Amino acid sequence: MRVDIISIFPEYFAPLDVSLMGKARERGILDIRLHQLRDWAHDVHRTVDDTPYGGGPGMVMKPEIWGEAIDAVVGAAAAGGEAAPEGAVAPRMIVPTPSGRPFTQEVALEYAKEPWLLFTPARYEGIDSRVMAEYGFRLRVDEVSIGDYVLAGGEAAVLVMVEAVGRLLPGVLGNAASVADDSFAPGTMENLLEGPVYTKPPTWRGHDVPEILLSGHHGKIARWRRDEALRRTAEKRPELLARLDPDSLDKHDRQL
Ligand SMILES: Nc1cc(-c2ccc3ccn(Cc4ccc(CN5CCCC5)cc4)c3c2)n[nH]1
C-alpha cells in the first residue's frame, strides 16, 4: 500500500518510522511518502493560510496551494512519472476533520483494501471547502473524525488512522489471528470489547491469574473469554450490545 501525506508539519510523522509501521515500511508492505505543503507556496513567506470569508476566528488554509500539492502528488503517478501502486490511477483522499464521519474499525478495514491512500491533514481552522469539492469525485474524498473532541490539526488523526489501517495489512502483525480477535473485528468479536489478558507469573503481588486460563481446556477458555467480553461490553459500552446481531448470541450468552 502506498500512503502519501501532505502536511506543513511532516516531521510530525517520525513515529511512523518506529515499531510495527517502521518494520512494515522496511519490508515494503507500506510505502509512506511525506510532502511539505509549503513547497507549493510560492510567495516569499510561503503563506498557506488567509482570513475566513464571512468573518470568524482563526485562519483558513488557501485552496490554491492544496490544489497544486495534490495535483503534483497524484499527477506524478497519473502522468506516468512513476508506477502508480497496483495500477491505481488515483488514491482515496482522506481528510481528517472534527465534522467528518466517524473513523471506526469498519472504516479501517475499508481503507486497508485500498492500494493507495492520500491523507491531507490541515491546521488552522481547516481547508477551504472548495478543495474537497474539486477532488470529491475523482479521489473519492472522505472526511473523517477520529472522535468527538477538537485537535489542533489533522496530523495526530493521520497517525491514528495509518496505524489502525497498517496493522490490518497482511504480514504486518506477526500473529495474524490477533487481528481476528480485535474488538470490533468482524465475526464473533464484532461490537464486543476484548476481555482481560494475562501472562506469567501465575501469581503477582497476591493477584492470581483466573484458573480457567491455566486449565488448558480450550473450549472452556474460549467460553470464559467471550463471557468476559460480553460482561465488559455490557458494563462499559452497553450501546454496542444493542448493535449485536441476536443470532450471534447462543443460549449461554442470553442467560448472562
Ligand atoms: N476528530 C478530530 C479531528 C480534528 C481535526 C482535524 C483536522 C483539523 C484541522 C484544523 N483543526 C483544528 C480545528 C479547530 C476548530 C475547528 C472548528 N471551527 C469552527 C468554525 C470553523 C472550524 C475545526 C478544526 C483540526 C481538527 N479534531 N478532532
Side-chain angles (χ1 to χ4, degrees):
M1 175 187 282
R2 175 174 162 178
V3 174
D4 284 276
I5 305 172
I6 305 173
S7 166
I8 58 173
F9 297 122
E11 62 275 18
Y12 205 99
F13 299 98
L16 296 177
D17 291 334
V18 302
S19 186
L20 274 179
M21 293 308 113
K23 288 186 178 54
R25 295 177 80 175
E26 283 164 23
R27 291 160 52 195
I29 300 172
L30 259 182
D31 169 14
I32 299 179
R33 306 176 190 203
L34 304 177
H35 309 276
Q36 170 48 269
L37 178 67
R38 293 191 192 279
D39 290 350
W40 287 278
H42 307 304
D43 66 301
V44 68
H45 297 297
R46 302 182 79 184
T47 312
V48 296
D49 63 309
D50 204 336
T51 52
Y53 275 122
M59 303 290 271
V60 172
M61 299 190 91
K62 296 163 64 70
E64 307 98 314
I65 291 134
W66 277 103
E68 285 194 33
I70 294 166
D71 289 347
V73 169
V74 175
E82 62 202 51
E86 285 117 67
V89 179
R92 183 91 191 264
M93 177 167 151
I94 300 162
V95 187
T97 169
S99 58
R101 76 166 169 146
F103 177 74
T104 61
Q105 190 68 10
E106 191 179 349
V107 177
L109 285 157
E110 184 188 318
Y111 290 171
K113 297 187 188 108
E114 296 280 351
W116 187 9
L117 299 177
L118 165 62
F119 289 96
T120 59
R123 283 271 152 170
Y124 306 99
E125 298 287 306
I127 302 173
D128 184 301
S129 286
R130 289 171 291 180
V131 174
M132 281 63 86
E134 163 75 358
Y135 295 100
F137 178 73
R138 185 156 64 91
L139 302 189
R140 293 172 290 142
V141 171
D142 202 4
E143 296 182 68
V144 285
S145 163
I146 62 162
D148 291 337
Y149 40 80
V150 182
L151 300 165
E155 283 80 6
V158 171
L159 278 177
V160 163
M161 291 191 273
V162 169
E163 184 161 315
V165 173
R167 68 184 287 281
L168 295 173
L169 300 179
V172 174
L173 285 188
N175 166 11
S178 53
V179 174
D181 297 346
D182 275 348
S183 290
F184 316 107
T188 53
M189 294 307 280
E190 195 144 13
N191 293 317
L192 287 182
L193 303 181
E194 70 268 2
V197 289
Y198 303 88
T199 185
K200 294 185 282 297
T203 292
W204 174 71
R205 294 190 184 179
H207 304 282
D208 296 343
V209 171
E211 273 304 313
I212 189 75
L213 297 180
L214 310 177
S215 70
H217 193 301
H218 300 296
K220 286 183 181 170
I221 290 171
R223 177 79 266 168
W224 181 86
R225 283 180 167 152
R226 185 167 166 77
D227 291 351
E228 281 299 299
L230 283 164
R231 187 183 56 74
R232 269 187 172 198
T233 309
E235 183 188 321
K236 298 183 182 173
R237 298 288 300 278
E239 79 281 5
L240 292 180
L241 283 184
R243 282 168 33 187
L244 261 185
D245 171 4
D247 295 342
S248 73
L249 296 172
D250 61 29
K251 65 179 184 320
H252 177 93
D253 294 335
R254 288 197 184 87
Q255 76 186 14
L256 285 176

